[in-house]
């Protein structure tokens, strides 16, 4: 009996050891954290992407994770883009295409990415601009977060230093939208966001967390502290080609009202304005990068790097006079393509790049899988995890971006769009159809063949150099957005 009892005891200990030392249980005990960093209006203009921009901290992240060369937003304007990737759903699924309406007005029960993490026992915190909440009837999204949001509700025009910091100072960048003052980094929102992110990290370091840090730059105004302008002289900024594409369709363009004001009171930029704004955009990038670096260094100081997934992404791209356009809301590559980095603490994908097509709606299922959370079957995105393991593999055959015309139709007397542009990016081309809002009739088409025209300066839809690439793109677009249903009825 003693021998049997001893053997049973040994067997019990062995079974317990197997259970508690199994990868599944260890994974449950050691949940991965998520540091989710979002930039505002940042096109693919970083050193790690071959730009002359100064971005040493983001470049360092690129060496530690997987860099996506072809990641695309679903709409190049803040609210629709953020609402899309934070819910894993396309703008058409959400019926959400404008800045001035909170996503929950039409989707009160939709589950956001941080909300899903919160439901799985994570502490979820928001510092800075993550959702786009200003000038809306709903301020914030408390159900997504474990505590009140910080500096999430504001206006970019109010991102100015306190008057006491400007005593005896003169603006050194005397051009439209440009301000160059010798002030501390935390005179502006992004420095304050970094300060708060450091504070929050110290508060949540001992619990599984999803920390979203939203920087407000490089969004206009171009007002980074003076030291960042010095590092970005005009001579180091690429020369501007403002030409519209040959054979272009008028639907492709907009009035650039974000920076040029609303017709009929628009103003024309001088060459000095253009140079200053382009320089200021690069200064804003370096300023934002410096604040990001502070957050990453604090993560290291707290010894959280080995347990934390880091994502860096922009909500959409930007035009700095290219195609005759300023700001965003077009279907061109400069608007649609975004920087995306994923750093896995296990080292998967470290220092590698992928050419695979990715969409920002893919981030929700990706992080769910990386953290071992229950999957959701109601998302439009699909996980990118396999690319961390095999970056050379394909992911999507096409990436979809869309825009209504007018871009800000909700501010018109009519209150509805005239048209919706659907643009598909394949490995070879960008193909766009502008469809009548009510009928779905195709009003205009564009084809830009990226192997020979990476700057999208020649619409060859009527005479393609590679007809097979056009045929493939049309097929991909129509699979995602069939012509049988007009945009108004989607």
């Amino acid at each position: 009996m003693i021998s049997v009892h001893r053997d049973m005891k040994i067997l019990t200990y062995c079974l317990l050891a197997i259970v508690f030392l199994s990868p599944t249980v260890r994974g449950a005990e050691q949940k991965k954290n998520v540091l989710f960093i979002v930039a505002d209006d940042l096109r693919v203009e970083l050193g790690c992407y071959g730009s002359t921009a100064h971005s040493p901290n983001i470049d360092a992240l690129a060496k530690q994770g997987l860099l996506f060369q072809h990641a695309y937003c679903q709409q190049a304007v803040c609210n629709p883009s953020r609402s899309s990737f934070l819910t894993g759903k396309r703008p058409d699924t959400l019926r959400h295409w404008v800045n001035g309406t909170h996503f929950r007005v039409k989707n009160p029960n939709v589950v956001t990415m941080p909300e899903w993490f919160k439901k799985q026992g994570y502490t979820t915190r928001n510092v800075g601009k993550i959702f786009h909440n200003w000038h809306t009837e709903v301020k914030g999204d408390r159900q997504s977060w474990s505590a009140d949001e910080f500096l999430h509700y504001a206006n970019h025009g109010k991102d100015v230093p306190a008057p006491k910091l400007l005593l005896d100072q003169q603006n050194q960048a005397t051009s439209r939208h440009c301000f160059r003052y010798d002030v501390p980094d935390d005179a502006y929102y992004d420095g304050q966001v970094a300060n708060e992110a450091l504070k929050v990290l110290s508060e949540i370091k001992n619990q599984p967390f999803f920390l979203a840090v939203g920087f407000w730059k490089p969004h206009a105004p171009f007002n980074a502290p003076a030291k960042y302008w010095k590092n970005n002289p005009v001579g180091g900024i690429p020369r501007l080609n403002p030409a519209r594409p040959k054979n272009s369709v008028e639907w492709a363009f907009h009035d650039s009202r974000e920076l040029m004001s609303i017709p009929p009171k628009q103003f024309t930029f001088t060459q000095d304005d253009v140079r200053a704004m382009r320089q200021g955009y690069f200064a804003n990038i370096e300023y934002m990068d410096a604040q990001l670096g502070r957050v990453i260094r604090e993560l290291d100081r707290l010894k959280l790097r080995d347990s934390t997934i880091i994502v860096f992404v922009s909500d959409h791209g930007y035009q700095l006079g290219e195609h005759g356009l300023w700001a965003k809301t077009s279907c061109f590559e400069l608007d649609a393509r975004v920087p995306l980095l994923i750093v896995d603490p296990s080292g998967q994908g470290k220092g590698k790049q992928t050419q695979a097509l990715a969409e920002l709606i893919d981030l929700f299922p990706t992080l769910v899988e990386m953290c071992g959370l229950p999957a959701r079957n109601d998302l439009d995105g699909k996980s990118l995890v396999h690319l961390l393991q095999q970056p050379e593999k394909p992911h999507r055959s096409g990436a979809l971006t869309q825009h209504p015309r007018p871009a800000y139709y909700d501010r018109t007397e009519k209150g509805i769009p005239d048209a919706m542009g659907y643009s598909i990016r394949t490995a070879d081309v960008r193909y766009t159809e502008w469809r009548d809002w009510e009928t779905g009739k195709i009003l205009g088409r564009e084809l830009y063949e990226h192997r020979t025209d990476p700057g999208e300066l020649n619409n060859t839809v009527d005479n393609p150099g590679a007809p097979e690439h056009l045929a493939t793109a049309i097929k991909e677009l129509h699979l995602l957005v069939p012509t049988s249903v007009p945009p108004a009825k989607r």
Side-chain angles (χ1 to χ4, degrees):
M1 286 293 293
I2 293 175
S3 176
V4 171
H5 179 74
R6 184 186 62 213
D7 292 344
M8 288 295 293
K9 192 173 183 180
I10 292 172
L11 180 60
T12 300
Y13 284 141
C14 289
L15 289 172
L16 287 171
I18 291 171
V19 169
F20 285 105
L21 293 177
S22 70
T24 301
V25 173
R26 287 203 312 273
E29 290 179 338
Q30 301 173 353
K31 290 182 178 179
K32 290 182 179 179
N33 306 312
V34 176
L35 176 58
F36 191 79
I37 306 173
V38 183
D40 197 349
D41 282 14
L42 175 64
R43 69 189 195 181
V44 181
E45 201 73 71
L46 298 166
C48 52
Y49 281 93
S51 169
T52 59
H54 293 273
S55 51
N57 295 291
I58 298 171
D59 297 348
L61 275 185
K63 294 178 181 179
Q64 298 157 11
L66 180 63
L67 181 149
F68 288 76
Q69 284 286 357
H70 293 287
Y72 295 91
C73 69
Q74 277 44 80
Q75 189 176 332
V77 66
C78 296
N79 196 344
S81 177
R82 292 162 185 262
S83 298
S84 176
F85 68 71
L86 288 164
T87 62
K89 298 178 183 291
R90 298 189 185 280
D92 275 5
T93 303
L94 296 172
R95 306 287 297 169
H96 187 55
W97 309 281
V98 295
N99 259 354
T101 302
H102 196 278
F103 71 94
R104 289 217 184 268
V105 171
K106 292 184 178 179
N107 304 272
N109 299 317
V110 69
V111 176
T112 69
M113 187 187 338
E115 185 180 359
W116 188 239
F117 273 77
K118 183 180 175 184
K119 288 177 181 289
Q120 313 311 316
Y122 275 70
T123 294
T124 59
R125 297 290 294 271
N126 176 20
V127 178
K129 183 179 176 181
I130 295 298
F131 294 106
H132 182 85
N133 293 322
W134 70 274
H135 69 65
T136 66
E137 62 275 40
V138 181
K139 298 181 181 180
D141 191 57
R142 189 60 171 79
Q143 68 194 71
S144 291
W145 309 107
S146 302
D148 290 339
E149 295 130 295
F150 173 84
L151 200 53
H152 68 291
Y153 183 84
N155 184 314
H156 288 277
K158 294 182 179 179
D159 188 8
V160 296
K164 64 181 181 180
L165 293 174
L166 300 183
L167 290 175
D168 302 322
Q169 285 207 48
Q170 290 186 339
N171 177 24
Q172 303 171 48
T174 52
S175 299
R176 293 187 186 274
H177 306 297
C178 297
F179 304 90
R180 183 175 174 178
Y181 294 113
D182 188 9
V183 294
D185 283 7
D186 59 5
Y188 295 108
Y189 288 163
D190 277 0
Q192 297 163 33
V193 166
N195 288 346
E196 183 70 10
L198 269 58
K199 175 185 173 185
V200 171
L201 274 172
S202 67
E203 294 172 358
I204 63 177
K205 62 184 179 181
N206 294 322
Q207 50 199 292
F209 64 78
F210 181 105
L211 173 59
V213 179
F215 291 113
W216 291 73
K217 295 300 183 191
H219 193 294
F222 308 114
N223 58 355
K227 62 184 176 182
Y228 298 106
W229 288 76
K230 294 175 183 176
N231 293 337
N232 293 276
V234 171
I237 308 301
R239 295 186 65 181
L240 169 64
N241 180 356
R244 280 192 173 194
K246 297 177 183 177
N247 308 310
S248 57
V249 298
E250 195 60 33
W251 292 104
F253 304 98
H254 54 80
D255 57 23
S256 301
R257 63 178 54 196
E258 181 176 328
L259 294 183
M260 299 185 76
S261 192
I262 300 173
K265 297 182 179 180
Q266 283 199 305
F267 42 78
T268 301
F269 293 141
T270 66
Q271 287 302 308
D272 286 342
D273 289 333
V274 170
R275 283 191 290 268
M277 287 189 295
R278 288 172 65 84
Q279 180 187 13
Y281 183 79
F282 277 64
N284 277 4
I285 289 173
E286 185 176 359
Y287 166 59
M288 179 274 296
D289 176 85
Q291 310 318 306
L292 177 146
R294 294 176 57 207
V295 177
I296 298 301
R297 287 191 291 275
E298 181 68 4
L299 194 74
D300 287 335
R301 189 187 73 80
L302 295 172
K303 302 188 186 313
L304 292 170
R305 182 68 79 94
D306 291 343
S307 58
T308 303
I309 299 163
I310 304 173
V311 174
F312 173 76
V313 69
S314 173
D315 54 357
H316 49 73
Y318 205 72
Q319 300 262 0
L320 288 167
E322 297 88 359
H323 301 114
L325 297 172
W326 290 90
K328 56 264 190 183
T329 72
S330 90
C331 287
F332 289 113
E333 185 85 353
L334 278 170
D335 298 64
R337 185 179 172 217
V338 297
L340 173 61
L341 307 173
I342 299 179
V343 181
D344 185 346
S346 72
Q348 288 192 116
K350 183 177 180 179
K352 296 182 178 180
Q353 299 186 7
T354 178
Q355 300 293 328
L357 294 166
E359 295 183 315
L360 295 194
I361 52 173
D362 297 334
L363 288 172
F364 192 157
T366 299
L367 291 173
V368 164
E369 182 177 351
M370 291 180 74
C371 292
L373 306 187
R376 294 189 62 87
N377 58 12
D378 62 341
L379 305 180
D380 293 334
K382 57 182 183 178
S383 175
L384 299 162
V385 167
H386 68 105
L387 294 175
L388 291 168
Q389 302 159 352
Q390 296 178 297
E392 71 283 357
K393 295 292 185 180
H395 179 65
R396 288 184 176 274
S397 48
L400 180 67
T401 302
Q402 65 184 96
H403 288 94
R405 288 291 181 264
Y408 299 104
Y409 68 84
D410 59 321
R411 304 178 196 177
T412 66
E413 184 177 347
K414 187 177 178 182
I416 60 173
D418 295 321
M420 181 68 78
Y422 292 103
S423 187
I424 196 78
R425 179 64 159 89
T426 68
D428 303 296
V429 305
R430 175 171 295 285
Y431 171 70
T432 305
E433 289 181 358
W434 294 94
R435 301 182 188 176
D436 183 272
W437 178 252
E438 298 286 356
T439 68
K441 177 184 176 182
I442 296 176
L443 305 173
R445 301 194 305 156
E446 301 171 82
L447 176 69
Y448 301 103
E449 302 182 74
H450 271 251
R451 293 188 183 277
T452 56
D453 181 25
E456 298 184 339
L457 293 172
N458 188 17
N459 176 14
T460 61
V461 72
D462 293 327
N463 187 26
E468 67 277 13
H469 293 164
L470 172 59
T472 297
I474 292 174
K475 180 180 178 181
E476 291 295 333
L477 178 60
H478 290 183
L479 282 173
L480 284 173
V481 194
T483 56
S484 57
V485 183
K489 296 181 180 179
R490 292 197 173 281

